[in-house]
């Protein structure tokens, strides 16, 4: 690959792009984005599977599911299988052990008609904080079949009857499927300055790339240019806020 080909290739949001020895190297950034949804009733009901509360005896199946979901994901890119298994063990043990927060009663699992655990949504609660979605995972064989949506709808419907007003979550920026799902479901990103800059540079590069290719209609180029302007404004806003915070912290 020549340098010119590398420059004109699409850039993947949340990935680090490097070029040396005539090759392009892409690696996922260790960057997550906080995203929040308001607690409100949902009508997304499961049809081909059932949902029930999580119980401690689910632990072995949850660890199995964790590995099944993440062993080939961007979150664990270049990890050894043993490391992912250890992460699964730690995540589930910490959840039931209330290490990072008390396990919530709204946490649930999805069960297939054959009785197999195919998905889970684990929520933790901390004093004086909104609940946090610690883990959302669906078996690859059941993805894009409404399992995650059914789990989340079930939880939100239960949270309606609590004092909580929001549910927090995080997605790995390089995980396009997770990012798109959160946005489709209605989560709103709470970007920091670093993440805003990544969104801005991604939009900026895509506009430049399309201008170089010369194949996109003018109306689509104008749409990309507007997107760049919007992200530039967000970066400017974040920088002002950061400077104000930094200044106030000075002695």
């Amino acid at each position: 690959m020549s340098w010119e080909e590398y420059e004109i290739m699409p850039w993947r949001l949340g990935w680090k792009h490097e070029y040396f020895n005539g090759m392009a190297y892409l690696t996922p950034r260790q960057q997550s984005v906080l995203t929040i949804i308001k607690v409100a009733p949902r009508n997304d009901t499961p049809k081909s599977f059932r949902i029930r509360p999580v119980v401690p005896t689910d632990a072995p199946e949850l660890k199995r599911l964790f590995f099944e979901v993440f062993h080939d994901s961007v979150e664990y890119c270049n990890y050894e299988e043993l490391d992912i298994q250890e992460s699964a063990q730690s995540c589930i043990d910490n959840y039931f052990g209330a290490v990072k927060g008390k396990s919530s009663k709204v946490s649930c699992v999805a069960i297939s008609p054959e009785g197999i655990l195919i998905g889970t949504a684990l929520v933790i609660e901390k004093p004086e904080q909104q609940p946090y979605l610690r883990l959302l995972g669906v078996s690859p064989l059941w993805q894009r079949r409404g399992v995650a949506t059914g789990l989340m709808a079930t939880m939100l419907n239960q949270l309606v009857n609590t004092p909580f007003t929001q549910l927090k979550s995080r997605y790995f920026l390089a995980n396009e499927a997770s990012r798109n799902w959160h946005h489709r479901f209605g989560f709103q990103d709470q970007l920091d300055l670093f993440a805003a800059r990544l969104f801005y540079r991604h939009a900026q590069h895509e506009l430049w790339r399309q201008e170089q290719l010369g194949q996109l209609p003018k109306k689509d180029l104008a749409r990309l240019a507007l997107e760049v302007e919007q992200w530039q404004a967000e970066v400017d806003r974040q920088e002002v806020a950061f400077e104000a915070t930094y200044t106030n912290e000075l002695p």
Side-chain angles (χ1 to χ4, degrees), residues 170-195:
R170 279 190 176 272
Y171 63 80
F172 203 63
L173 189 56
N175 190 331
E176 183 177 1
S178 179
R179 182 174 74 243
N180 290 341
W181 181 88
H182 276 86
H183 292 166
R184 285 196 306 270
F185 193 78
F187 280 86
Q188 300 294 314
D189 292 346
Q190 312 297 304
L191 300 179
D192 58 19
L193 177 57
F194 182 74

Side-chain angles (χ1 to χ4, degrees), residues 7 25 39 41 43 46 93 95 100 114 128 176 217 221 234 248:
E7 281 287 283
Y25 295 87
V39 170
N43 296 321
D93 287 349
Y95 169 76
K100 296 185 178 181
E114 296 77 22
E128 301 181 1
E176 183 177 1
L221 283 176
E234 175 62 17
N248 290 335

Side-chain angles (χ1 to χ4, degrees), residues 194-214:
F194 182 74
R197 283 173 173 168
L198 290 178
F199 275 96
Y200 167 62
R201 290 168 184 165
H202 177 265
Q204 191 179 43
H205 181 269
E206 183 59 17
L207 174 61
W208 173 85
R209 191 177 76 88
Q210 293 295 345
E211 288 174 339
Q212 299 305 305
L213 292 173

